[in-house]
Amino acid sequence: MKTRYFLLLLLAGAILSGCGTGNKGEVLGVRSKPFRAELPAGMVYIPGGSFLMGQTDQDVTFAQIAQTKQVTVSPFFMDQTEITNSQYKQFVNTVRDSIAITNYLNDDKYYVKSKDASANGKKYINWDYVSKHPVFRSGKGKGQASNAGKLDGMYYQGDDRVFDRNEIDVRQLKYNYAMMVLRNASDQRFDKTKKRSDFILRDTVPVYPDTLVWLNDFSYAANEPMVEGYFSHPSYQNYPVVGVTWRQARAFSIWRSRVNDAVKDAHGLPHRLPYSLPTEAEFEYASRGGRIGTDYPWGGPYIKNAKGCLLANFKPGRGNYTDDGGAYTVNVRSYFPNDYGLYNMAGNVSEWTQSAFDEAASTFVHDMSPTFNYEAKASDPEVLKRKVVRGGSWKDIGYFLQNATRSYEYQDTAKSYIGFRCVSHFVGRDFRDKR
């Protein structure tokens, strides 16, 4: 009898302990760490809201592709400036180093020493070690001589060499990534023949920007100095990166998300929502800076201030490129920011958006966070590979600087006047709400 009574006490204790201390068996939800949204480095917070998207002034090109529509955009973070040469070079160097380590060095010191027996032989690069012991080190240093011979394959060889200089063969710099195409998954969610892998996009993208755009985009222009120095010379490090295709811009945003996720994982913190290119609605909304019915990010309707100074980097007059302070691009923090604190939302470089281009998009997209996305295949006709470009550039006339002006370029083309910036979507209450 005593044994049976003792067993009943043990059973009751186990039941109570399974329910948690003092909760009396109530459903209290899964406990998680308190989450507080942080402002990502280099970004500004764009509060959600509604606005009249579309043309507010004359349609100089008679394109009739910017019909007005009342839309609502949810809050998000946006890069304060265009992505710079320095920021994009970090992406290029990371890809370069990862290829050097995995394909050429095969040195265990550059990998994380895992104690997990279930790692299945996979090795992961120890980027903390790489930062302290660079794979490519200028001058002579400890370990440099041993690396040099192994890295010969990374450089141009034979007749491709100039003055026997060691120059990285940029054709090797390719980034592999995978991502879920959620729209396709949603559209085919009831198709029982589909597997999860059918909605995973896998892509390999050459990451080095096309520096020859400074010659390709112009007939008989002496732009060789821009080809040779714009991306590589430190004096241009805070200028917007150009010569980047839409696919390269997306690859950069995915890489940026993975870098941030790795740091969050190391500290046991929840991930930030992924970085991406802005939709064209988000770009126009952010460009307006909270102003209603204005033509330009600074308001307007003029491109000069009261002192007669030009307010953006574009092609004024009949081609007086230097009147605004720059013959080509300028520093990404030039001119005054708009009311959201964003620089050069008009001028300097046009910018890729996430959205596919369709002349009639405003007639069929939703009015809540609208965008028309299409994942073009290599076999698709060129008309399906158009992506929306916004903001106008250093070589455009003032019309293209207007908030509502739409244009496009093909996703695999690179131009000397197109760059990009990223967004990261915000979920939860208003970021400014401190309660």
Side-chain angles (χ1 to χ4, degrees), residues 39 49 55 81 99 108 120 131-132 156 161 169-170 175 179 193 238 273 308 310 321-322 349 356 385 395 408 429-430:
L39 183 65
Q55 206 75 38
T81 69
I99 292 172
D108 287 338
N120 296 324
S131 65
K132 297 173 183 176
Y156 288 109
R161 294 170 69 87
D169 184 351
V170 297
Y175 181 64
M179 59 172 285
T193 66
N238 292 320
L273 287 185
L310 291 166
Y321 290 98
T322 58
V349 290
K385 298 177 182 179
K395 63 90 186 171
Y408 70 86
R429 67 186 186 210
D430 194 307

Side-chain angles (χ1 to χ4, degrees), residues 143-165:
Q144 182 69 6
S146 60
N147 281 353
K150 297 178 181 179
L151 296 174
D152 283 345
M154 291 286 291
Y155 302 114
Y156 288 109
Q157 303 293 321
D159 291 340
D160 288 336
R161 294 170 69 87
V162 179
F163 293 121
D164 286 331
R165 291 196 298 253

Side-chain angles (χ1 to χ4, degrees), residues 98-113 123-126 129-130 133-135 142-144 146-147 150-151:
S98 64
I99 292 172
I101 292 169
T102 56
N103 294 353
Y104 292 94
L105 292 184
N106 295 316
D107 187 340
D108 287 338
K109 293 194 296 294
Y110 284 99
Y111 292 97
V112 175
K113 293 178 176 58
K123 297 195 294 186
Y124 299 93
I125 295 174
N126 185 344
Y129 183 86
V130 174
H133 304 83
V135 177
K142 186 178 180 181
Q144 182 69 6
S146 60
N147 281 353
K150 297 178 181 179
L151 296 174

Side-chain angles (χ1 to χ4, degrees), residues 202-219:
R202 303 181 192 278
D203 200 4
T204 300
V205 181
V207 300
Y208 202 84
D210 183 359
T211 57
L212 289 172
V213 292
W214 292 105
L215 294 176
N216 297 338
D217 294 342
F218 309 96
S219 299

